[in-house]
């Protein structure tokens, strides 16, 4: 959910039906895209009425919770993890210490990959308590709208220095695109190298830091690796239209210097 490079989402509802039919465990990695399911309204990311066995989300990404804040949520609770991972170290954990009238031990240490860790939940709880649910809903919506705005700028922008090409329409809040300098004569084999050069040139300038990525895609018959492209994930609410134009202007300036 929210693939690392393109931010796309698998058809979880369909996958869930197959998993239920064959008794398979369905784990959803929503580390990056999970907030779209929790606080967004995009049906592609909805998990409403879908059977999921476990779910991961990192609020320190799209939701802006201070690093680090990660959750593994289990449909059947922590006892599943305790049975799979627990070492039963009696010098630390005593099962007779249960929570209230349940039979669940109060100490969750034996149900985690690491016996001890920082209290991630308190950061998210304090932020949620202070700002409220609507804050997170607005933050996700704003990031989505800003990503669509950037995609529209790339799609419609014209330049005497080259042309702008979207890799794909953004599925969430990550915008991926190429700028193809005229000097390349549209040689697709050189797009990746040009992206790397422009990105390095911009980063060396010190005014902003950009990144690039690549991804394997399946065209229905074969798998191919796309040339490296600029990858802009939108998160910070302070990113404005002026910021987006600054990024595109920096790329064009780099192209003008590197490919005169």
């Amino acid at each position: 959910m929210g693939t690392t490079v393109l931010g796309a989402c698998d058809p979880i509802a369909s996958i869930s039906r197959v998993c239920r039919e064959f008794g398979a465990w369905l784990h959803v990695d929503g580390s990056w895209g999970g907030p779209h399911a929790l606080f967004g309204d995009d049906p592609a990311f909805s998990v409403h009425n879908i059977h999921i066995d476990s779910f991961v989300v990192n609020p320190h990404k799209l939701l802006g919770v201070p690093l680090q804040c990660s959750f593994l949520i289990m449909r059947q609770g922590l006892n599943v993890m305790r049975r799979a991972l627990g070492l039963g170290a009696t010098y630390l954990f005593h099962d007779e210490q249960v929570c209230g009238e349940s039979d669940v031990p109060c100490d969750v240490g034996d149900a985690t990959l690491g016996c001890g860790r920082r209290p991630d939940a308190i950061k998210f709880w304090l932020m949620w308590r202070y700002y409220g649910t609507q804050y997170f809903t607005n933050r996700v919506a704003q990031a989505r709208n800003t990503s669509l705005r950037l995609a529209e700028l790339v799609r419609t922008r014209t330049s005497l220095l080259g042309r702008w090409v979207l890799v794909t329409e953004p599925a969430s809040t990550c915008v991926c695109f190429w700028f193809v300098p005229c000097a390349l004569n549209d040689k697709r084999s050189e797009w990746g190298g040009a992206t790397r050069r422009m990105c390095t040139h911009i980063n060396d300038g010190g005014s902003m830091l950009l990144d690039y990525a690549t991804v394997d895609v399946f065209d229905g018959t074969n798998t191919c690796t796309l040339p490296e492209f600029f990858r802009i994930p939108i998160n910070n609410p302070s990113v404005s239209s002026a910021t987006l134009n600054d990024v595109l202007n920096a790329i064009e300036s780099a192209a003008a210097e590197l490919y005169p």
Side-chain angles (χ1 to χ4, degrees):
M1 175 179 289
T3 54
T4 304
V5 176
L6 299 179
C9 185
D10 291 317
I12 298 175
S14 299
I15 295 172
S16 176
R17 287 192 291 271
V18 174
C19 289
R20 295 294 299 277
E21 180 181 353
F22 293 95
W25 183 281
L26 177 57
H27 173 72
V28 174
D29 182 357
S31 300
W32 191 67
H36 288 278
L38 300 176
F39 298 101
D41 57 4
D42 188 336
F45 285 82
S46 175
V47 293
H48 184 64
N49 289 333
I50 298 177
H51 184 96
I52 295 171
D53 296 293
S54 55
F55 181 79
V56 162
V57 62
N58 294 161
H60 66 245
K61 294 179 179 175
L62 187 54
L63 297 181
V65 176
L67 281 167
Q68 140 176 332
C69 188
S70 304
F71 293 95
L72 171 61
I73 303 169
M74 312 290 293
R75 172 175 287 275
Q76 299 179 21
L78 282 175
N79 276 337
V80 174
M81 298 297 291
R82 184 176 283 106
R83 290 193 296 270
L85 303 173
L87 297 177
T90 56
Y91 64 94
L92 289 175
F93 310 114
H94 310 291
D95 289 346
E96 65 269 17
Q97 298 176 355
V98 297
C99 297
E101 298 178 357
S102 71
D103 60 351
V104 179
C106 293
D107 196 329
V108 301
D110 206 27
T112 61
L113 292 171
C115 176
R117 61 176 297 166
R118 297 178 183 274
D120 284 1
I122 192 65
K123 290 179 286 188
F124 189 28
W125 182 86
L126 287 171
M127 196 170 175
W128 203 340
R129 177 81 173 180
Y130 183 82
Y131 290 110
T133 300
Q134 193 60 46
Y135 168 81
F136 292 120
T137 300
N138 292 344
R139 185 180 177 114
V140 170
Q142 182 174 347
R144 174 63 175 157
N145 290 336
T146 302
S147 69
L148 294 176
R149 193 181 317 133
L150 175 56
E152 181 65 16
L153 287 174
V154 171
R155 188 186 305 106
T156 60
R157 189 178 176 103
T158 58
S159 173
L160 296 176
L161 299 168
R163 67 188 183 96
W164 296 88
V165 182
L166 271 178
V167 174
T168 184
E169 292 294 329
S172 52
T173 56
C174 195
V175 186
C176 302
F177 56 87
W178 291 282
F179 182 71
V180 185
C182 292
L184 298 186
N185 294 319
D186 243 3
K187 295 178 181 176
R188 190 177 176 88
S189 61
E190 298 183 15
W191 290 15
T195 300
R196 295 194 301 272
R197 285 191 68 194
M198 288 184 284
C199 193
T200 300
H201 185 80
I202 293 168
N203 293 346
D204 287 346
S207 62
M208 65 178 67
L209 292 175
L210 299 184
D211 201 4
Y212 60 84
T214 185
V215 69
D216 294 333
V217 296
F218 183 66
D219 63 6
T221 304
N222 301 303
T223 299
C224 64
T225 301
L226 295 181
E228 286 87 347
F229 45 79
F230 290 100
R231 173 182 175 271
I232 312 291
I234 303 296
N235 182 356
N236 195 327
S238 65
V239 172
S240 64
S241 295
T243 308
L244 302 180
N245 279 298
D246 286 344
V247 170
L248 302 187
N249 289 338
I251 294 173
E252 286 189 356
S253 295
E257 295 185 35
L258 296 172
Y259 299 94

